[in-house]
Every structure is written in structure tokens, then in C-alpha cells.
Amino acid sequence: METVVRAAAIYLILFVAVRLSGRRTLSELTTFDLILVLIISEAVQQGMVGDDYSITTAALVVVTLVLIDIVLSFVKGHSPFMQKVLEGVPTILVDNGKCLTERMKKARVSEDDIMESARQLRGLERLDQIKYAVLEVGGHITIIPAEQPRRGD
Amino acid sequence: MNDTFSIHEDIDFQRKTWIAQRVTWAIMALIVLAAIAGMFGGTMSRVERRESSGRLSVTYERVQRHLAPTQVRVSILAEGIQSPSVQISDSIGKVVEQLAVMPAPRLSTLHAAGPIFTFDAIPSVGGRLDIFVELVPISYGSLAGEIALVEADGRPYASVPISVFVLP
């Protein structure tokens, strides 16, 4: 019983901390993010198993975590509201070449971040070449290029 | 929503999420400050309790953590006492694992009110004898008990109440 409670409690704490830390955290593994992932995994391991290193406890922890994951994906699939709560929603940051600065500030995304994605994904050079820049639920930025004017238009 | 393809944006929900994030950041900062102040155990939560005559004092962490080792210092005015005996009340003894007692007691006795450790008096500055007990709490929640100096027959003649809270 204690093993299941420990595993579930650690899962919940990690979920809340990562979900509410902001989408940009851990979206791309920079050096800082990689260090964070490695340290977090070490910090929670002891909290989940305590001083019990048996195969039984390890199996219980794995089963508990996988089951929580399955239950949450079931809940997400059946409740659009819960899907928003658990995963978040995409947010438009650039609309037809114009930066939505209030949203960018709240999302902690700079114009440089958007232009980096635009160059990487679409080879775009300027902001006015972007129709939409969307901050996705996973923390990455997708770029919809502006329609190019046709020759002769 | 764009009419050529769908971006399922919900800016009202997103604004509420941003507020929730900022509240969470503030809570995280408060948690770290509380930890620094000793509210989750550690050095900052250490307190010293003295018996009224000054013969006995106990220094311990007021907030402890489940399965985390902690050290209790029992300081005795050993002058004139040939073999000081220290008793840890049963209410504490049964919810901790005792790892080590230093200096090693000459005799350990099981008593109904709690284990008794008898030491050889060791000359020290000012006649005080410091005993260090390493404990590991194996229970959660509030723990209350006392540490006492006892006679050879187990009757306490000086005691210090201690109260700890064990976090999961």
C-alpha cells in the first residue's frame, strides 16, 4: 500500500511541478533542462521506493505509474475539458506578421525564439513572412508561413 | 479560429493557466523559503530543551522526515554521578529505529517506560557528558515523549519533554 501511495504521490508532484512551471520548461532539452531531468530522476527515486530495493516494490512502482498514465489518457480522451487541464491548449503568438506581445510575455517567448523556429522549420527570414506562429502544448513553436503572392497578381 | 485550418486555441483558458502558473511559482518560492527556515526539518529546526535545574538538556530537530536519520544530543551534568542513566520514553522508542548511541553505553536495559542506557561518567569540561543518539523515525505525524535521567531502579529524577513532527 505504501509503495503505491509513494509512487502516486511522486507522480502527482512531478506532474503539477512540470505542468505549472510553464510550457517552455523542458520543451527542448538544453543543457540546463538535461541537468534538471537527470537530477529530478535521482531525487524522486528514493522517495518512491524508500529503503526497499526488492523486485516486488520496483514492479509495484512501475505498474502504479503506468496505470496512472493509462487512466489519465482515458480521462483525456473522454473529456475535452480534462484534456485542456492536463495538456494545455495551443496559443497563437504571431498573427499575420504581427507579434501578440502580451501573450508572448506571459508565455515567456521572445521574438528571437519565434524567428529561430521560423528559420529552422521554414527557412523564413522576416516576421512579415509568418502568417501564424503557434506555441503548441508541448512547448515547441510551429510556423505557418504567409501565402506568397502569385506572379502576375 | 482561422478558417483555412483549425487551431483549437482557447485564450480564456490559457489566461487562467498563466495565472495558475504564477501562483504556483509563488508557492514554490514560499516552499523553498520555508525549507531554509527549517519548517521541513534540518539544522534550522534544531531546538534545545533544558530541565529546570540544568542537570539535563536535550537538543533535537523539531521537524523531522520519515526514514531520514536525525541526531539527538543529550547533555548531562555528570558531576557527582557515578553511572548516569538516560531513559528514552517508550512513546518515542517504539516509533524510531535507533542506529547508534555515542559514547557506547556500558549497559542497555529494557524497561516498561522505555529503554535505559547507563554510561560510565567521562570527565569533561565543566563536568558535562554529551551523549549522541542517531535515530530514524519510522512513523509519521506528531511524536511526543521525554528523555530522563533515572536512578538505578528506573525512577526518573530529571526529565525533558520533547515533541517532534515527522513529515512523510
Side-chain angles (χ1 to χ4, degrees):
Chain A
M1 159 88 172
E2 185 178 323
T3 301
V4 171
V5 171
R6 279 173 173 271
I10 296 291
Y11 187 103
L12 178 66
I13 291 167
L14 278 175
F15 182 86
V16 170
V18 175
R19 175 75 177 90
L20 291 180
S21 67
R23 248 178 302 193
R24 295 299 279 168
T25 304
L26 301 180
S27 67
E28 291 172 353
L29 285 183
T30 63
T31 305
F32 297 114
D33 297 333
L34 180 61
I35 291 170
L36 198 61
V37 167
L38 291 173
I39 290 178
I40 286 175
S41 67
E42 282 300 309
V44 301
Q45 179 249 329
Q46 209 69 42
M48 282 194 288
V49 300
D51 56 357
D52 182 348
Y53 301 112
S54 66
I55 294 174
T56 305
T57 294
L60 281 174
V61 168
V62 168
V63 168
T64 301
L65 295 176
V66 170
L67 184 63
I68 291 173
D69 203 56
I70 291 169
V71 168
L72 288 180
S73 54
F74 181 81
V75 167
K76 278 188 299 184
H78 286 75
S79 169
F81 175 73
M82 283 310 294
Q83 178 157 15
K84 284 190 209 175
V85 169
L86 293 173
E87 290 192 336
V89 292
T91 306
I92 297 174
L93 298 179
V94 172
D95 186 353
N96 286 302
K98 187 183 165 197
C99 287
L100 303 177
T101 48
E102 185 242 346
R103 296 181 184 193
M104 287 171 60
K105 192 177 164 188
K106 286 276 173 58
R108 295 178 292 145
V109 174
S110 66
E111 190 176 318
D112 287 342
D113 293 329
I114 292 172
M115 288 314 301
E116 182 182 341
S117 291
R119 287 190 298 270
Q120 272 181 349
L121 300 173
R122 299 289 181 173
L124 303 179
E125 297 170 348
R126 303 183 311 275
L127 206 58
D128 61 4
Q129 294 175 303
I130 299 173
K131 187 174 185 181
Y132 294 112
V134 182
L135 178 63
E136 304 290 354
V137 296
H140 55 280
I141 299 170
T142 50
I143 304 293
I144 312 297
E147 289 158 6
Q148 299 296 318
R150 292 184 202 166
R151 288 177 190 273
D153 283 356
Chain B
M1 195 184 296
N2 181 276
D3 58 3
T4 56
F5 71 95
S6 298
I7 301 173
H8 294 285
E9 186 185 45
D10 185 342
I11 195 60
D12 290 331
F13 183 88
Q14 187 57 54
R15 289 190 204 285
K16 288 175 189 164
T17 304
W18 283 327
I19 293 171
Q21 282 177 4
R22 276 137 183 87
V23 170
T24 303
W25 298 347
I27 291 171
M28 287 180 180
L30 286 173
I31 288 172
V32 171
L33 288 173
I36 291 170
M39 291 181 66
F40 297 110
T43 310
M44 295 299 289
S45 75
R46 287 184 82 80
V47 293
E48 184 181 12
R49 298 277 183 255
R50 290 175 178 271
E51 188 259 342
S52 54
S53 66
R55 287 174 293 185
L56 173 67
S57 72
V58 178
T59 306
Y60 62 99
E61 289 177 17
R62 208 170 21 182
V63 179
Q64 297 175 13
R65 292 184 290 265
H66 182 241
L67 297 182
T70 184
Q71 191 181 69
V72 177
R73 188 180 77 183
V74 181
S75 186
I76 304 168
L77 187 60
E79 209 166 355
I81 304 175
Q82 199 167 11
S83 294
S85 295
V86 174
Q87 182 176 49
I88 298 176
S89 65
D90 195 47
S91 58
I92 297 172
K94 63 184 177 185
V95 293
V96 300
E97 290 176 351
Q98 282 174 257
L99 297 180
V101 179
M102 293 170 290
R106 178 168 59 81
L107 183 66
S108 300
T109 312
L110 286 178
H111 191 274
I116 296 174
F117 303 95
T118 303
F119 301 86
D120 290 323
I122 299 170
S124 60
V125 175
R128 295 206 79 89
L129 171 65
D130 285 334
I131 300 162
F132 297 92
V133 184
E134 289 259 337
L135 302 173
V136 176
I138 57 174
S139 180
Y140 306 114
S142 293
L143 298 178
E146 65 176 26
I147 293 180
L149 288 174
V150 298
E151 304 280 8
D153 58 1
R155 278 183 303 123
Y157 62 91
S159 67
V160 171
I162 64 174
S163 173
V164 303
F165 189 82
V166 181
L167 295 168

